[in-house]
Amino acid sequence: MLFRLNEEHLMIQKAARDFAQTECLPGVIERDEKQKFPREQILKLADLGFLGMMVRPEYGGAGMDTVSYVVAMEEISKIDASVSVCMSVNNSLVCFGLQEFGTEEQKQKYLVPLAQGKKDGELYIGAFLLSEPEAGSDATSQKTTAENKGDHYLLNGTKNWITNGGTASVYLVMAQTNRSKGSRGINTFIVEKNWPGVTVAAKENKLGIRGSDTHSIMFNDVKVPKENQIGADGFGFKFAMRTLAGGRIGIASQALGIASGAYELSLKYSKERKAFGTEIMNHQIIAFKLADMATRIEASRLLCLKAAWEKDCNLDYTVSSSMAKVFAAETAMWTTVEAVQIHGGYGFVKEYHVERLMRDAKITQIYEGTSEVQRIVISRDLLK
Ligand code: CAA
């Protein structure tokens, strides 16, 4: 067993770190304050091949492995989690789902530009529409319907908390086609944002990841051609679960990055800031906090890399990805709160970044399955 990144992973790590420092760090505080979507940064991510990292080259992707994705997500999330969530959703929830379960026609039409992040020179990304106003964790209880009308479906309903909701050109939408069948009566459809009957509500005003583009999306008699259905009838819920298992590796890596970003800032500050005649890191109460941060972050990193490795080896990674997500998310929340504490008053103002990281950390315990949902997935497996 080798606990070491290879040359290619190290190159990707450096590219992601350089990108985060030169492209994401400038303006990150202002984008957070003004809730400004990081369009320029996402376009540059597209040029780096980071929007379709694991898509095979014949479909326009970079053909990298999931370990590379974890490494890149950590580096970018250290600096700007609003950029990395957009990257994660496009890679793991949208491109993965299409590459794995789409038809050849769907791949040519949608996956190729989504993996490149551009179409005709313009930004072209996707979103994943599962959650609803009254169906978040209990995803089977969704109310959006798709009525079979012969050569097309008629889509009606509302989805919410949709990352990339306003910016995406393509939505992967889960909808009930046969309510009596419960989770087996759900299909997934590819829907284009500019089709008649699609309405994008106002951007949500959020606690964290404020640059990211979160909206509700309404469907009113939207005609969806049959060829835009992904997989067989009734496959929609399993599609969502299979796709989310990979997505959770992405969000776990985002949480890992937020935690390591806060830790690096805290370590630096502790070596510079003096109190009671010495740098604060020489006080055991601070040194022990840093030691605990470093340990929990390393454990999170190993869980993320293990889940990624299992995915790359075509092993079942469902439980590992849930373990990585719940642990890394809780590490991110704990680490960022402690980072603010170490910084004292400076931690409470925006210029020192840690208060933003603390606000950004919270969502990693909520989206793509709350920490409670991850514990459902893990405990059900233990009890099998
Ligand atoms: N892979 C394949 N199939 C799976 C599966 C998986 N990982 N998990 C469940 N299934 C299958 C089951 O085998 C079962 O199939 P059969 O009917 O054939 O037996 C079916 O799906 C139903 O499974 P459950 O009975 O386990 O379903 P449940 O209703 O008890 O729900 C749950 C389980 C884990 C709680 C699930 O509902 C869940 O993950 N909820 C959270 C949803 C979520 O993560 N939402 C986030 C949305 S995306 C987002 O956050 C927005 C964004 O833009 C970032």
Side-chain angles (χ1 to χ4, degrees), residues 85 89 93 128 130-131 136-140 161-163 183-184 237-238 241-242 244-245 248 318 367-369 373 376-377 380:
V85 67
V89 166
L93 297 186
F128 183 85
L130 175 66
S131 302
S137 293
D138 185 8
T140 310
W161 316 125
I162 306 305
T163 304
S183 71
R184 295 178 183 189
F237 190 75
K238 287 195 171 79
M241 293 297 110
R242 297 271 299 271
L244 277 165
R248 289 166 184 166
T318 314
Y367 60 16
E368 298 203 25
V373 162
I376 293 177
V377 174
R380 281 188 183 171

PDB file of all heavy atoms in Angstrom, residues 85 89 93 128 130-131 136-140 161-163 183-184 237-238 241-242 244-245 248 318 367-369 373 376-377 380, ligand 1:
ATOM      1  N   VAL A  85     -17.727  24.339  -5.448  1.00  0.00           N
ATOM      2  CA  VAL A  85     -19.008  23.620  -5.490  1.00  0.00           C
ATOM      3  C   VAL A  85     -19.542  23.556  -6.920  1.00  0.00           C
ATOM      4  O   VAL A  85     -20.098  22.543  -7.349  1.00  0.00           O
ATOM      5  CB  VAL A  85     -20.073  24.198  -4.528  1.00  0.00           C
ATOM      6  CG1 VAL A  85     -20.545  25.581  -4.923  1.00  0.00           C
ATOM      7  CG2 VAL A  85     -21.264  23.257  -4.471  1.00  0.00           C
ATOM      8  N   VAL A  89     -20.321  19.954  -8.691  1.00  0.00           N
ATOM      9  CA  VAL A  89     -21.615  19.558  -9.244  1.00  0.00           C
ATOM     10  C   VAL A  89     -21.472  19.200 -10.725  1.00  0.00           C
ATOM     11  O   VAL A  89     -21.994  18.180 -11.185  1.00  0.00           O
ATOM     12  CB  VAL A  89     -22.667  20.682  -9.035  1.00  0.00           C
ATOM     13  CG1 VAL A  89     -23.907  20.454  -9.876  1.00  0.00           C
ATOM     14  CG2 VAL A  89     -23.044  20.771  -7.562  1.00  0.00           C
ATOM     15  N   LEU A  93     -21.996  15.256 -10.340  1.00  0.00           N
ATOM     16  CA  LEU A  93     -23.435  14.992 -10.430  1.00  0.00           C
ATOM     17  C   LEU A  93     -23.910  15.010 -11.876  1.00  0.00           C
ATOM     18  O   LEU A  93     -24.819  14.279 -12.238  1.00  0.00           O
ATOM     19  CB  LEU A  93     -24.233  16.004  -9.601  1.00  0.00           C
ATOM     20  CG  LEU A  93     -23.986  15.985  -8.090  1.00  0.00           C
ATOM     21  CD1 LEU A  93     -24.925  16.929  -7.367  1.00  0.00           C
ATOM     22  CD2 LEU A  93     -24.133  14.575  -7.512  1.00  0.00           C
ATOM     23  N   PHE A 128     -28.104  19.624 -11.015  1.00  0.00           N
ATOM     24  CA  PHE A 128     -28.715  18.353 -10.613  1.00  0.00           C
ATOM     25  C   PHE A 128     -29.952  18.683  -9.786  1.00  0.00           C
ATOM     26  O   PHE A 128     -29.827  19.291  -8.716  1.00  0.00           O
ATOM     27  CB  PHE A 128     -27.668  17.591  -9.797  1.00  0.00           C
ATOM     28  CG  PHE A 128     -28.042  16.224  -9.344  1.00  0.00           C
ATOM     29  CD1 PHE A 128     -27.870  15.127 -10.171  1.00  0.00           C
ATOM     30  CD2 PHE A 128     -28.521  16.008  -8.053  1.00  0.00           C
ATOM     31  CE1 PHE A 128     -28.168  13.838  -9.730  1.00  0.00           C
ATOM     32  CE2 PHE A 128     -28.826  14.728  -7.606  1.00  0.00           C
ATOM     33  CZ  PHE A 128     -28.643  13.642  -8.447  1.00  0.00           C
ATOM     34  N   LEU A 130     -32.824  17.403  -7.692  1.00  0.00           N
ATOM     35  CA  LEU A 130     -33.500  16.349  -6.928  1.00  0.00           C
ATOM     36  C   LEU A 130     -34.350  16.972  -5.815  1.00  0.00           C
ATOM     37  O   LEU A 130     -35.531  16.690  -5.694  1.00  0.00           O
ATOM     38  CB  LEU A 130     -32.446  15.397  -6.330  1.00  0.00           C
ATOM     39  CG  LEU A 130     -32.952  14.290  -5.409  1.00  0.00           C
ATOM     40  CD1 LEU A 130     -33.821  13.287  -6.171  1.00  0.00           C
ATOM     41  CD2 LEU A 130     -31.783  13.539  -4.750  1.00  0.00           C
ATOM     42  N   SER A 131     -33.752  17.862  -5.020  1.00  0.00           N
ATOM     43  CA  SER A 131     -34.432  18.403  -3.829  1.00  0.00           C
ATOM     44  C   SER A 131     -35.646  19.247  -4.196  1.00  0.00           C
ATOM     45  O   SER A 131     -35.680  19.905  -5.233  1.00  0.00           O
ATOM     46  CB  SER A 131     -33.479  19.288  -3.022  1.00  0.00           C
ATOM     47  OG  SER A 131     -32.354  18.554  -2.645  1.00  0.00           O
ATOM     48  N   GLY A 136     -36.268  16.923   0.892  1.00  0.00           N
ATOM     49  CA  GLY A 136     -34.809  17.101   0.865  1.00  0.00           C
ATOM     50  C   GLY A 136     -34.146  15.764   1.161  1.00  0.00           C
ATOM     51  O   GLY A 136     -33.832  14.987   0.264  1.00  0.00           O
ATOM     52  N   SER A 137     -34.010  15.464   2.478  1.00  0.00           N
ATOM     53  CA  SER A 137     -33.428  14.171   2.865  1.00  0.00           C
ATOM     54  C   SER A 137     -34.309  13.016   2.391  1.00  0.00           C
ATOM     55  O   SER A 137     -33.821  11.991   1.928  1.00  0.00           O
ATOM     56  CB  SER A 137     -33.280  14.091   4.387  1.00  0.00           C
ATOM     57  OG  SER A 137     -32.320  15.028   4.822  1.00  0.00           O
ATOM     58  N   ASP A 138     -35.619  13.202   2.513  1.00  0.00           N
ATOM     59  CA  ASP A 138     -36.571  12.152   2.096  1.00  0.00           C
ATOM     60  C   ASP A 138     -36.861  12.325   0.599  1.00  0.00           C
ATOM     61  O   ASP A 138     -37.952  12.728   0.196  1.00  0.00           O
ATOM     62  CB  ASP A 138     -37.847  12.295   2.939  1.00  0.00           C
ATOM     63  CG  ASP A 138     -38.842  11.185   2.655  1.00  0.00           C
ATOM     64  OD1 ASP A 138     -38.481  10.232   1.918  1.00  0.00           O
ATOM     65  OD2 ASP A 138     -39.975  11.269   3.165  1.00  0.00           O
ATOM     66  N   ALA A 139     -35.853  11.984  -0.196  1.00  0.00           N
ATOM     67  CA  ALA A 139     -35.910  12.320  -1.626  1.00  0.00           C
ATOM     68  C   ALA A 139     -37.003  11.568  -2.379  1.00  0.00           C
ATOM     69  O   ALA A 139     -37.470  12.021  -3.425  1.00  0.00           O
ATOM     70  CB  ALA A 139     -34.545  12.046  -2.246  1.00  0.00           C
ATOM     71  N   THR A 140     -37.442  10.436  -1.852  1.00  0.00           N
ATOM     72  CA  THR A 140     -38.508   9.654  -2.523  1.00  0.00           C
ATOM     73  C   THR A 140     -39.840  10.407  -2.520  1.00  0.00           C
ATOM     74  O   THR A 140     -40.686  10.174  -3.378  1.00  0.00           O
ATOM     75  CB  THR A 140     -38.696   8.306  -1.783  1.00  0.00           C
ATOM     76  OG1 THR A 140     -37.427   7.706  -1.630  1.00  0.00           O
ATOM     77  CG2 THR A 140     -39.585   7.364  -2.561  1.00  0.00           C
ATOM     78  N   TRP A 161     -32.966  24.667  -3.909  1.00  0.00           N
ATOM     79  CA  TRP A 161     -31.568  24.585  -3.468  1.00  0.00           C
ATOM     80  C   TRP A 161     -30.685  24.077  -4.609  1.00  0.00           C
ATOM     81  O   TRP A 161     -29.820  23.232  -4.407  1.00  0.00           O
ATOM     82  CB  TRP A 161     -31.376  23.675  -2.253  1.00  0.00           C
ATOM     83  CG  TRP A 161     -32.381  23.829  -1.164  1.00  0.00           C
ATOM     84  CD1 TRP A 161     -33.151  22.845  -0.618  1.00  0.00           C
ATOM     85  CD2 TRP A 161     -32.713  25.031  -0.451  1.00  0.00           C
ATOM     86  NE1 TRP A 161     -33.942  23.365   0.377  1.00  0.00           N
ATOM     87  CE2 TRP A 161     -33.694  24.703   0.499  1.00  0.00           C
ATOM     88  CE3 TRP A 161     -32.281  26.364  -0.542  1.00  0.00           C
ATOM     89  CZ2 TRP A 161     -34.249  25.628   1.356  1.00  0.00           C
ATOM     90  CZ3 TRP A 161     -32.847  27.298   0.308  1.00  0.00           C
ATOM     91  CH2 TRP A 161     -33.806  26.919   1.241  1.00  0.00           C
ATOM     92  N   ILE A 162     -30.904  24.598  -5.811  1.00  0.00           N
ATOM     93  CA  ILE A 162     -30.185  24.059  -6.966  1.00  0.00           C
ATOM     94  C   ILE A 162     -28.902  24.846  -7.238  1.00  0.00           C
ATOM     95  O   ILE A 162     -28.943  25.994  -7.701  1.00  0.00           O
ATOM     96  CB  ILE A 162     -31.089  24.041  -8.225  1.00  0.00           C
ATOM     97  CG1 ILE A 162     -32.403  23.291  -7.933  1.00  0.00           C
ATOM     98  CG2 ILE A 162     -30.334  23.428  -9.411  1.00  0.00           C
ATOM     99  CD1 ILE A 162     -32.231  21.876  -7.401  1.00  0.00           C
ATOM    100  N   THR A 163     -27.771  24.189  -6.960  1.00  0.00           N
ATOM    101  CA  THR A 163     -26.458  24.785  -7.249  1.00  0.00           C
ATOM    102  C   THR A 163     -26.321  24.919  -8.764  1.00  0.00           C
ATOM    103  O   THR A 163     -26.673  23.988  -9.502  1.00  0.00           O
ATOM    104  CB  THR A 163     -25.334  23.864  -6.716  1.00  0.00           C
ATOM    105  OG1 THR A 163     -25.559  23.649  -5.332  1.00  0.00           O
ATOM    106  CG2 THR A 163     -23.959  24.477  -6.947  1.00  0.00           C
ATOM    107  N   SER A 183     -40.135   4.933  -4.841  1.00  0.00           N
ATOM    108  CA  SER A 183     -38.811   5.250  -5.400  1.00  0.00           C
ATOM    109  C   SER A 183     -38.598   4.571  -6.764  1.00  0.00           C
ATOM    110  O   SER A 183     -37.748   4.989  -7.542  1.00  0.00           O
ATOM    111  CB  SER A 183     -37.707   4.830  -4.428  1.00  0.00           C
ATOM    112  OG  SER A 183     -37.605   3.433  -4.382  1.00  0.00           O
ATOM    113  N   ARG A 184     -39.403   3.532  -7.059  1.00  0.00           N
ATOM    114  CA  ARG A 184     -39.272   2.862  -8.368  1.00  0.00           C
ATOM    115  C   ARG A 184     -40.124   3.518  -9.455  1.00  0.00           C
ATOM    116  O   ARG A 184     -40.161   3.036 -10.592  1.00  0.00           O
ATOM    117  CB  ARG A 184     -39.662   1.392  -8.245  1.00  0.00           C
ATOM    118  CG  ARG A 184     -38.718   0.623  -7.350  1.00  0.00           C
ATOM    119  CD  ARG A 184     -39.143  -0.813  -7.213  1.00  0.00           C
ATOM    120  NE  ARG A 184     -38.267  -1.525  -6.281  1.00  0.00           N
ATOM    121  CZ  ARG A 184     -38.282  -2.822  -6.086  1.00  0.00           C
ATOM    122  NH1 ARG A 184     -39.129  -3.575  -6.772  1.00  0.00           N
ATOM    123  NH2 ARG A 184     -37.477  -3.389  -5.224  1.00  0.00           N
ATOM    124  N   PHE A 237     -34.495   7.159  -9.313  1.00  0.00           N
ATOM    125  CA  PHE A 237     -34.025   7.264  -7.920  1.00  0.00           C
ATOM    126  C   PHE A 237     -32.666   6.596  -7.775  1.00  0.00           C
ATOM    127  O   PHE A 237     -31.760   7.130  -7.116  1.00  0.00           O
ATOM    128  CB  PHE A 237     -35.044   6.640  -6.952  1.00  0.00           C
ATOM    129  CG  PHE A 237     -34.727   6.940  -5.513  1.00  0.00           C
ATOM    130  CD1 PHE A 237     -34.968   8.198  -4.987  1.00  0.00           C
ATOM    131  CD2 PHE A 237     -34.165   5.968  -4.691  1.00  0.00           C
ATOM    132  CE1 PHE A 237     -34.655   8.495  -3.661  1.00  0.00           C
ATOM    133  CE2 PHE A 237     -33.857   6.248  -3.363  1.00  0.00           C
ATOM    134  CZ  PHE A 237     -34.107   7.513  -2.848  1.00  0.00           C
ATOM    135  N   LYS A 238     -32.520   5.444  -8.423  1.00  0.00           N
ATOM    136  CA  LYS A 238     -31.214   4.761  -8.351  1.00  0.00           C
ATOM    137  C   LYS A 238     -30.151   5.608  -9.051  1.00  0.00           C
ATOM    138  O   LYS A 238     -29.003   5.689  -8.603  1.00  0.00           O
ATOM    139  CB  LYS A 238     -31.301   3.371  -8.976  1.00  0.00           C
ATOM    140  CG  LYS A 238     -32.065   2.387  -8.113  1.00  0.00           C
ATOM    141  CD  LYS A 238     -31.833   0.955  -8.550  1.00  0.00           C
ATOM    142  CE  LYS A 238     -32.414  -0.040  -7.566  1.00  0.00           C
ATOM    143  NZ  LYS A 238     -33.852  -0.244  -7.668  1.00  0.00           N
ATOM    144  N   MET A 241     -29.124   8.173  -6.541  1.00  0.00           N
ATOM    145  CA  MET A 241     -28.305   7.618  -5.443  1.00  0.00           C
ATOM    146  C   MET A 241     -26.902   7.265  -5.934  1.00  0.00           C
ATOM    147  O   MET A 241     -25.903   7.542  -5.270  1.00  0.00           O
ATOM    148  CB  MET A 241     -28.982   6.364  -4.846  1.00  0.00           C
ATOM    149  CG  MET A 241     -30.280   6.629  -4.110  1.00  0.00           C
ATOM    150  SD  MET A 241     -30.068   7.691  -2.656  1.00  0.00           S
ATOM    151  CE  MET A 241     -30.854   9.190  -3.194  1.00  0.00           C
ATOM    152  N   ARG A 242     -26.833   6.644  -7.128  1.00  0.00           N
ATOM    153  CA  ARG A 242     -25.515   6.257  -7.657  1.00  0.00           C
ATOM    154  C   ARG A 242     -24.669   7.504  -7.928  1.00  0.00           C
ATOM    155  O   ARG A 242     -23.468   7.544  -7.671  1.00  0.00           O
ATOM    156  CB  ARG A 242     -25.675   5.457  -8.963  1.00  0.00           C
ATOM    157  CG  ARG A 242     -26.411   4.131  -8.811  1.00  0.00           C
ATOM    158  CD  ARG A 242     -25.474   2.977  -8.488  1.00  0.00           C
ATOM    159  NE  ARG A 242     -24.482   2.736  -9.518  1.00  0.00           N
ATOM    160  CZ  ARG A 242     -24.651   1.920 -10.564  1.00  0.00           C
ATOM    161  NH1 ARG A 242     -25.807   1.267 -10.703  1.00  0.00           N
ATOM    162  NH2 ARG A 242     -23.696   1.730 -11.431  1.00  0.00           N
ATOM    163  N   LEU A 244     -25.079  10.534  -6.569  1.00  0.00           N
ATOM    164  CA  LEU A 244     -24.743  11.233  -5.320  1.00  0.00           C
ATOM    165  C   LEU A 244     -23.604  10.549  -4.563  1.00  0.00           C
ATOM    166  O   LEU A 244     -22.831  11.222  -3.860  1.00  0.00           O
ATOM    167  CB  LEU A 244     -25.977  11.321  -4.419  1.00  0.00           C
ATOM    168  CG  LEU A 244     -26.932  12.470  -4.736  1.00  0.00           C
ATOM    169  CD1 LEU A 244     -28.281  12.260  -4.060  1.00  0.00           C
ATOM    170  CD2 LEU A 244     -26.336  13.818  -4.297  1.00  0.00           C
ATOM    171  N   ALA A 245     -23.464   9.247  -4.712  1.00  0.00           N
ATOM    172  CA  ALA A 245     -22.352   8.562  -4.024  1.00  0.00           C
ATOM    173  C   ALA A 245     -21.017   9.157  -4.492  1.00  0.00           C
ATOM    174  O   ALA A 245     -20.109   9.370  -3.679  1.00  0.00           O
ATOM    175  CB  ALA A 245     -22.410   7.064  -4.285  1.00  0.00           C
ATOM    176  N   ARG A 248     -20.672  12.866  -3.275  1.00  0.00           N
ATOM    177  CA  ARG A 248     -20.283  13.018  -1.861  1.00  0.00           C
ATOM    178  C   ARG A 248     -18.764  12.980  -1.701  1.00  0.00           C
ATOM    179  O   ARG A 248     -18.232  13.564  -0.750  1.00  0.00           O
ATOM    180  CB  ARG A 248     -20.998  11.948  -1.025  1.00  0.00           C
ATOM    181  CG  ARG A 248     -22.483  12.275  -0.926  1.00  0.00           C
ATOM    182  CD  ARG A 248     -23.360  11.156  -0.424  1.00  0.00           C
ATOM    183  NE  ARG A 248     -24.768  11.579  -0.483  1.00  0.00           N
ATOM    184  CZ  ARG A 248     -25.806  10.772  -0.364  1.00  0.00           C
ATOM    185  NH1 ARG A 248     -25.624   9.474  -0.175  1.00  0.00           N
ATOM    186  NH2 ARG A 248     -27.039  11.253  -0.441  1.00  0.00           N
ATOM    187  N   THR A 318     -19.963   3.437  -2.033  1.00  0.00           N
ATOM    188  CA  THR A 318     -21.095   4.162  -1.420  1.00  0.00           C
ATOM    189  C   THR A 318     -20.831   4.480   0.057  1.00  0.00           C
ATOM    190  O   THR A 318     -21.010   5.621   0.491  1.00  0.00           O
ATOM    191  CB  THR A 318     -22.378   3.306  -1.520  1.00  0.00           C
ATOM    192  OG1 THR A 318     -22.464   2.781  -2.838  1.00  0.00           O
ATOM    193  CG2 THR A 318     -23.608   4.109  -1.219  1.00  0.00           C
ATOM    194  N   TYR A 367     -25.619  19.850   2.247  1.00  0.00           N
ATOM    195  CA  TYR A 367     -25.980  19.442   0.871  1.00  0.00           C
ATOM    196  C   TYR A 367     -25.365  18.108   0.457  1.00  0.00           C
ATOM    197  O   TYR A 367     -24.494  17.592   1.118  1.00  0.00           O
ATOM    198  CB  TYR A 367     -25.773  20.543  -0.157  1.00  0.00           C
ATOM    199  CG  TYR A 367     -24.415  21.171  -0.402  1.00  0.00           C
ATOM    200  CD1 TYR A 367     -23.222  20.626   0.011  1.00  0.00           C
ATOM    201  CD2 TYR A 367     -24.364  22.373  -1.125  1.00  0.00           C
ATOM    202  CE1 TYR A 367     -22.007  21.244  -0.273  1.00  0.00           C
ATOM    203  CE2 TYR A 367     -23.146  22.990  -1.412  1.00  0.00           C
ATOM    204  CZ  TYR A 367     -21.981  22.414  -0.984  1.00  0.00           C
ATOM    205  OH  TYR A 367     -20.800  23.015  -1.266  1.00  0.00           O
ATOM    206  N   GLU A 368     -25.951  17.592  -0.622  1.00  0.00           N
ATOM    207  CA  GLU A 368     -25.629  16.242  -1.145  1.00  0.00           C
ATOM    208  C   GLU A 368     -25.770  15.170  -0.054  1.00  0.00           C
ATOM    209  O   GLU A 368     -25.015  14.207   0.009  1.00  0.00           O
ATOM    210  CB  GLU A 368     -24.275  16.222  -1.841  1.00  0.00           C
ATOM    211  CG  GLU A 368     -24.295  17.167  -3.048  1.00  0.00           C
ATOM    212  CD  GLU A 368     -23.290  16.869  -4.121  1.00  0.00           C
ATOM    213  OE1 GLU A 368     -22.854  15.710  -4.241  1.00  0.00           O
ATOM    214  OE2 GLU A 368     -22.948  17.811  -4.859  1.00  0.00           O
ATOM    215  N   GLY A 369     -26.789  15.379   0.796  1.00  0.00           N
ATOM    216  CA  GLY A 369     -27.056  14.463   1.902  1.00  0.00           C
ATOM    217  C   GLY A 369     -26.485  15.013   3.183  1.00  0.00           C
ATOM    218  O   GLY A 369     -25.277  15.187   3.319  1.00  0.00           O
ATOM    219  N   VAL A 373     -28.116  11.932   6.990  1.00  0.00           N
ATOM    220  CA  VAL A 373     -28.331  10.995   5.869  1.00  0.00           C
ATOM    221  C   VAL A 373     -27.100  10.101   5.668  1.00  0.00           C
ATOM    222  O   VAL A 373     -27.215   8.901   5.431  1.00  0.00           O
ATOM    223  CB  VAL A 373     -28.709  11.760   4.569  1.00  0.00           C
ATOM    224  CG1 VAL A 373     -28.495  10.892   3.330  1.00  0.00           C
ATOM    225  CG2 VAL A 373     -30.157  12.231   4.639  1.00  0.00           C
ATOM    226  N   ILE A 376     -27.316   7.401   8.009  1.00  0.00           N
ATOM    227  CA  ILE A 376     -28.304   6.387   7.591  1.00  0.00           C
ATOM    228  C   ILE A 376     -27.631   5.405   6.632  1.00  0.00           C
ATOM    229  O   ILE A 376     -27.719   4.188   6.790  1.00  0.00           O
ATOM    230  CB  ILE A 376     -29.528   7.048   6.886  1.00  0.00           C
ATOM    231  CG1 ILE A 376     -30.344   7.888   7.852  1.00  0.00           C
ATOM    232  CG2 ILE A 376     -30.412   5.973   6.233  1.00  0.00           C
ATOM    233  CD1 ILE A 376     -31.526   8.632   7.209  1.00  0.00           C
ATOM    234  N   VAL A 377     -26.913   5.955   5.638  1.00  0.00           N
ATOM    235  CA  VAL A 377     -26.269   5.100   4.623  1.00  0.00           C
ATOM    236  C   VAL A 377     -25.254   4.168   5.300  1.00  0.00           C
ATOM    237  O   VAL A 377     -25.237   2.955   5.051  1.00  0.00           O
ATOM    238  CB  VAL A 377     -25.572   5.966   3.537  1.00  0.00           C
ATOM    239  CG1 VAL A 377     -24.777   5.093   2.572  1.00  0.00           C
ATOM    240  CG2 VAL A 377     -26.600   6.820   2.787  1.00  0.00           C
ATOM    241  N   ARG A 380     -27.047   1.554   7.822  1.00  0.00           N
ATOM    242  CA  ARG A 380     -27.799   0.499   7.122  1.00  0.00           C
ATOM    243  C   ARG A 380     -26.848  -0.565   6.598  1.00  0.00           C
ATOM    244  O   ARG A 380     -27.165  -1.745   6.610  1.00  0.00           O
ATOM    245  CB  ARG A 380     -28.609   1.097   5.973  1.00  0.00           C
ATOM    246  CG  ARG A 380     -29.890   1.754   6.442  1.00  0.00           C
ATOM    247  CD  ARG A 380     -30.733   2.160   5.251  1.00  0.00           C
ATOM    248  NE  ARG A 380     -31.927   2.856   5.684  1.00  0.00           N
ATOM    249  CZ  ARG A 380     -32.761   3.468   4.858  1.00  0.00           C
ATOM    250  NH1 ARG A 380     -32.532   3.464   3.560  1.00  0.00           N
ATOM    251  NH2 ARG A 380     -33.833   4.069   5.321  1.00  0.00           N
TER     252      ARG A 380
HETATM  253  N1  CAA B   1     -27.029   2.966  -5.232  1.00  0.00           N
HETATM  254  C1  CAA B   1     -27.966   2.275  -5.914  1.00  0.00           C
HETATM  255  N2  CAA B   1     -29.221   2.094  -5.457  1.00  0.00           N
HETATM  256  C2  CAA B   1     -29.540   2.629  -4.246  1.00  0.00           C
HETATM  257  C3  CAA B   1     -28.610   3.342  -3.479  1.00  0.00           C
HETATM  258  C4  CAA B   1     -27.298   3.507  -4.012  1.00  0.00           C
HETATM  259  N3  CAA B   1     -26.347   4.200  -3.357  1.00  0.00           N
HETATM  260  N4  CAA B   1     -29.208   3.764  -2.354  1.00  0.00           N
HETATM  261  C5  CAA B   1     -30.471   3.304  -2.391  1.00  0.00           C
HETATM  262  N5  CAA B   1     -30.664   2.612  -3.545  1.00  0.00           N
HETATM  263  C6  CAA B   1     -31.869   1.926  -3.977  1.00  0.00           C
HETATM  264  C7  CAA B   1     -32.310   0.853  -2.954  1.00  0.00           C
HETATM  265  O1  CAA B   1     -31.621  -0.370  -3.174  1.00  0.00           O
HETATM  266  C8  CAA B   1     -33.784   0.740  -3.239  1.00  0.00           C
HETATM  267  O2  CAA B   1     -33.957  -0.036  -4.408  1.00  0.00           O
HETATM  268  P1  CAA B   1     -35.129  -1.163  -4.540  1.00  0.00           P
HETATM  269  O3  CAA B   1     -36.418  -0.434  -4.465  1.00  0.00           O
HETATM  270  O4  CAA B   1     -34.885  -1.785  -5.844  1.00  0.00           O
HETATM  271  O5  CAA B   1     -34.935  -2.073  -3.365  1.00  0.00           O
HETATM  272  C9  CAA B   1     -34.184   2.175  -3.595  1.00  0.00           C
HETATM  273  O6  CAA B   1     -32.975   2.826  -4.041  1.00  0.00           O
HETATM  274  C10 CAA B   1     -34.784   2.942  -2.434  1.00  0.00           C
HETATM  275  O7  CAA B   1     -33.794   2.937  -1.414  1.00  0.00           O
HETATM  276  P2  CAA B   1     -34.121   3.204   0.131  1.00  0.00           P
HETATM  277  O8  CAA B   1     -35.296   2.352   0.524  1.00  0.00           O
HETATM  278  O9  CAA B   1     -32.861   3.051   0.884  1.00  0.00           O
HETATM  279  O10 CAA B   1     -34.588   4.713   0.088  1.00  0.00           O
HETATM  280  P3  CAA B   1     -35.003   5.682   1.274  1.00  0.00           P
HETATM  281  O11 CAA B   1     -36.263   6.355   0.891  1.00  0.00           O
HETATM  282  O12 CAA B   1     -34.962   4.960   2.588  1.00  0.00           O
HETATM  283  O13 CAA B   1     -33.848   6.812   1.232  1.00  0.00           O
HETATM  284  C11 CAA B   1     -31.742   7.862   1.670  1.00  0.00           C
HETATM  285  C12 CAA B   1     -32.523   6.552   1.509  1.00  0.00           C
HETATM  286  C13 CAA B   1     -30.294   7.415   1.831  1.00  0.00           C
HETATM  287  C14 CAA B   1     -32.175   8.635   2.898  1.00  0.00           C
HETATM  288  C15 CAA B   1     -31.892   8.739   0.387  1.00  0.00           C
HETATM  289  O14 CAA B   1     -33.201   9.217   0.245  1.00  0.00           O
HETATM  290  C16 CAA B   1     -30.950   9.912   0.371  1.00  0.00           C
HETATM  291  O15 CAA B   1     -29.773   9.777   0.023  1.00  0.00           O
HETATM  292  N6  CAA B   1     -31.458  11.137   0.714  1.00  0.00           N
HETATM  293  C17 CAA B   1     -30.657  12.357   0.601  1.00  0.00           C
HETATM  294  C18 CAA B   1     -30.802  12.948  -0.764  1.00  0.00           C
HETATM  295  C19 CAA B   1     -29.700  13.925  -1.076  1.00  0.00           C
HETATM  296  O16 CAA B   1     -28.525  13.642  -0.909  1.00  0.00           O
HETATM  297  N7  CAA B   1     -30.102  15.081  -1.563  1.00  0.00           N
HETATM  298  C20 CAA B   1     -29.174  16.087  -1.981  1.00  0.00           C
HETATM  299  C21 CAA B   1     -29.555  16.584  -3.348  1.00  0.00           C
HETATM  300  S1  CAA B   1     -28.326  17.279  -4.371  1.00  0.00           S
HETATM  301  C22 CAA B   1     -27.885  18.734  -3.644  1.00  0.00           C
HETATM  302  O17 CAA B   1     -27.555  18.771  -2.503  1.00  0.00           O
HETATM  303  C23 CAA B   1     -27.985  19.997  -4.416  1.00  0.00           C
HETATM  304  C24 CAA B   1     -26.804  20.487  -5.076  1.00  0.00           C
HETATM  305  O18 CAA B   1     -26.961  21.143  -6.090  1.00  0.00           O
HETATM  306  C25 CAA B   1     -25.401  20.307  -4.532  1.00  0.00           C
END
